[in-house]
Amino acid sequence: MPLPKGSLSSASSDTVNEGSSALKHLDYDDNDAISHCSTADTVHDDESKYKSPFITVNRSQESLSDASGTGSFVPSRIFKRRWWSNMAIRARRKLGEEIEMEQDLARGLLADQLLIGHRRRKARSYWFNYCVFGGIGGLTILAFLLTVNLMLGIATLFWSEDIDHILRNWGKPGSGTEGLAWYPTDFLRDVPPIPCHSHNDYWRKVPLFSALRAGCTGVEADVWLYGGELYVGHNTASLQRNRTFQSLYVNPLVQILERQNPQTEFYNGTDHGVFDTDSGQSLTLLVDLKTGGAETWPVVLKHLEPLRERGWLSFVENGEVHRRPVTVVGTGNTPFDVLMANATYRDAFFDAPLDEMWEPRHVTPEMAGWPEFADGMPGDSPEEEGSPEETGDHAMTGDKGQGKSGVLPTDEFNETNSYYASVAFTKSVGRLWRGKLTQRHLKVIRGQIRGAHRRGLKVRYWDLPSWPLGLRNHVWDVLVREGVDMLNVDDLRAASRQVW
């Protein structure tokens, strides 16, 4: 409803007058205002009111003057005083917020430190448990393996080889083996021949048969001539009347080959060897002469007559080699000149010196007159000490030993006069100071193998390291891989089972 004219002006005048009179009676104290405004209850209970103006004054009133005519309006002064109080409150609030932030930060840093400490303690606990329980677990496994190994070792004392079962009655009265010439017909029906040489074969529980049962294609007999008889043994202290070259090797071989070459309506031959799985494999009989070569070698040839007359010895006739079930090779004090006396027919071969056959990979005409491989390292000097197999009683008889007796500087070795090319490993290759074969050792081995194979001869190293077993197995493995034709072994079981 519209107001009547004049009412607005009168109302405004009354309002101004009432406001002016009211303001005149107000007496403000700054300290009292600040104290009242700074109380904690006022700040926390009603913070919102300090964010808005303390007194709302109409814009129209700012142009008015009080009745005294001073030209200043009282609400403006009041507003200034309230603004100062607001600034103090805000400063205190800001200080409180900063203190709270610092406290929160301190609590956060403390929490981080506690977390880091917990993680460190957890990590230390983890490694402690890992080391303790891991060590206990490792020791438990080791103890288990050692126990199993011990049990297997004890079990081998009760488990015997097939050779023991087959030959357990060897030499006993009533067994038919009193003459050391017994041979079961199915003895080698499942034995494959392997290129290993039974070193000092006469030391076996059953000479010859133990090597054949293991598959060895080479056996060795050390012979001594006394009173026209050839005795077999490593030295004179081991010689016995019933252990002769004839009884331990010649006669058993005759009986074996008679059973392998029966005269029936189905077969009438003489070329079947001792191995059923490979009838063409020839058995090498290495005869090591321990007494004077010139006197002993003719007796050896005489004792081989039972094999010769049956056509079982490999021979050379008119420069051509004919392989048969048994190949006889002379070593030790065997004289090369006596062996080569018959130029038209020979049924025995020489064990040539391997250390004199070293050749480089590529031979040129300029290298023909070069000396043999030598660089001053251990094992290169021919004057270095050898093993008992090479020295022994040779010095007393005047014989020079393996590959040297009866040899002239102009003599040449090939497949028509020799079968093996042998040498003592330590003397020729050198000692294994580092526990393994070095490049220098391999250079010597490869050069010797190269020279022997060019002459058509089979390589054999004797005096191989036998201990530690890891070193022995390492040498065996390298020699086989490098092309050695006959591995000289003492441990028949390890060689035949190839545990290396």
Side-chain angles (χ1 to χ4, degrees):
M1 181 175 181
L3 296 173
K5 291 181 179 181
S7 61
L8 180 59
S9 60
S10 61
S12 299
S13 177
D14 296 336
T15 304
V16 172
N17 292 332
E18 292 178 357
S20 298
S21 61
L23 292 173
K24 288 179 180 180
H25 291 84
L26 294 175
D27 188 9
Y28 289 93
D29 187 3
D30 291 339
N31 296 329
D32 184 64
I34 292 174
S35 63
H36 284 290
C37 295
S38 62
T39 59
D41 295 338
T42 305
V43 173
H44 293 287
D45 295 342
D46 197 9
E47 290 182 0
S48 62
K49 67 182 180 179
Y50 297 110
K51 298 179 182 180
S52 61
F54 288 87
I55 300 176
T56 304
V57 180
N58 295 331
R59 295 290 182 180
S60 60
Q61 294 178 351
E62 295 180 1
S63 60
L64 298 179
S65 299
D66 56 358
S68 62
T70 59
S72 60
F73 188 52
V74 175
S76 176
R77 182 168 55 87
I78 297 175
F79 178 78
K80 291 180 179 180
R81 293 178 180 176
R82 294 293 179 88
W83 175 82
W84 171 256
S85 300
N86 190 26
M87 289 295 294
I89 293 171
R90 290 183 178 178
R92 294 186 179 185
R93 184 189 301 124
K94 184 176 181 180
L95 179 61
E97 291 177 354
E98 291 178 354
I99 293 174
E100 291 180 358
M101 291 178 62
E102 291 178 358
Q103 293 177 350
D104 293 341
L105 181 61
R107 286 192 294 268
L109 293 176
L110 180 59
D112 292 341
Q113 292 178 356
L114 292 175
L115 180 60
I116 293 173
H118 175 70
R119 290 178 178 175
R120 290 179 179 175
R121 289 192 298 272
K122 185 177 181 180
R124 288 195 296 268
S125 176
Y126 169 77
W127 284 109
F128 177 79
N129 294 335
Y130 177 81
C131 293
V132 172
F133 294 104
I136 294 175
L139 292 176
T140 302
I141 295 175
L142 179 61
F144 174 76
L145 294 178
L146 292 176
T147 303
V148 173
N149 186 38
L150 179 62
M151 294 176 62
L152 292 177
I154 296 175
T156 56
L157 299 177
F158 301 96
W159 296 340
S160 57
E161 292 291 315
D162 292 340
I163 181 68
D164 298 327
H165 289 292
I166 296 174
L167 303 175
R168 58 189 173 186
N169 295 323
W170 177 272
K172 293 182 179 180
S175 63
T177 62
E178 293 84 358
L180 304 179
W182 174 69
Y183 178 76
T185 56
D186 61 348
F187 185 61
L188 300 177
R189 62 183 179 184
D190 56 350
V191 178
I194 58 177
C196 73
H197 173 80
S198 178
H199 181 239
N200 293 336
D201 180 75
Y202 46 85
W203 274 347
R204 312 295 175 195
K205 182 177 181 180
V206 182
L208 179 63
F209 293 103
S210 297
L212 294 179
R213 182 61 184 174
C216 289
T217 57
V219 294
E220 177 181 344
D222 293 358
V223 298
W224 305 74
L225 178 62
Y226 286 103
E229 184 64 67
L230 294 176
Y231 298 97
V232 176
H234 190 67
N235 49 41
T236 54
S238 62
L239 301 182
Q240 296 180 8
R241 287 291 180 182
N242 63 338
R243 297 178 64 86
T244 65
F245 181 62
Q246 194 83 23
S247 63
L248 290 180
Y249 291 97
V250 176
N251 293 340
L253 284 174
V254 169
Q255 296 189 22
I256 291 173
L257 293 174
E258 282 181 347
R259 288 175 171 82
Q260 296 292 88
N261 296 275
Q263 302 296 317
T264 65
E265 57 181 322
F266 305 103
Y267 180 83
N268 188 20
T270 59
D271 56 353
H272 197 292
V274 297
F275 295 99
D276 288 323
T277 56
D278 187 359
S279 60
Q281 175 64 52
S282 180
L283 175 68
T284 305
L285 177 59
L286 185 67
V287 184
D288 188 353
L289 273 59
K290 296 298 184 180
T291 50
E295 301 82 14
T296 307
W297 184 248
V299 180
V300 172
L301 296 179
K302 180 180 178 181
H303 280 67
L304 293 174
E305 184 60 31
L307 295 170
R308 182 182 298 111
E309 66 183 9
R310 291 171 173 80
W312 290 330
L313 294 180
S314 298
F315 64 94
V316 177
E317 188 174 19
N318 298 325
E320 184 178 356
V321 180
H322 302 271
R323 296 299 176 196
R324 291 295 183 266
V326 179
T327 300
V328 177
V329 180
T331 188
N333 287 337
T334 301
F336 183 71
D337 53 349
V338 176
L339 185 146
M340 294 290 296
N342 190 341
T344 58
Y345 177 88
R346 293 185 302 275
D347 50 23
F349 299 83
F350 192 64
D351 188 12
L354 179 61
D355 54 335
E356 297 181 3
M357 298 183 183
W358 188 91
E359 291 182 358
R361 179 174 298 181
H362 303 289
V363 180
T364 62
E366 294 80 7
M367 299 169 63
W370 286 16
E372 297 294 332
F373 178 84
D375 58 5
M377 297 296 289
D380 288 328
S381 175
E383 289 80 13
E384 253 190 270
E385 58 181 359
S387 71
E389 181 174 344
E390 185 182 6
T391 57
D393 295 334
H394 297 167
M396 295 186 295
T397 60
D399 295 293
K400 299 180 180 180
Q402 183 261 321
K404 308 293 184 181
S405 300
V407 177
L408 299 176
T410 57
D411 289 333
E412 296 183 358
F413 305 102
N414 52 59
E415 62 179 355
T416 62
N417 56 38
S418 303
Y419 184 79
Y420 280 151
S422 306
V423 71
F425 182 85
T426 303
K427 172 194 172 186
S428 178
V429 179
R431 293 181 176 86
L432 307 184
W433 299 105
R434 302 178 184 176
K436 64 178 182 179
L437 291 168
T438 63
Q439 289 299 321
R440 181 201 162 276
H441 294 140
L442 293 177
K443 183 178 180 180
V444 177
I445 293 172
R446 290 167 181 169
Q448 292 176 349
I449 294 175
R450 191 180 301 115
H453 285 175
R454 186 182 64 82
R455 294 170 172 82
L457 306 181
K458 297 184 180 299
V459 178
R460 180 183 72 97
Y461 285 100
W462 48 275
D463 192 25
L464 297 176
S466 58
W467 191 89
L469 296 181
L471 177 61
R472 181 204 68 182
N473 296 341
H474 167 68
V475 173
W476 284 5
D477 181 66
V478 172
L479 292 181
V480 171
R481 287 191 288 106
E482 292 296 332
V484 170
D485 302 282
M486 189 67 70
L487 191 63
N488 199 86
V489 300
D490 292 295
D491 190 346
L492 297 180
R493 178 185 300 180
S496 61
R497 294 184 178 180
Q498 292 187 350
V499 296
W500 38 279

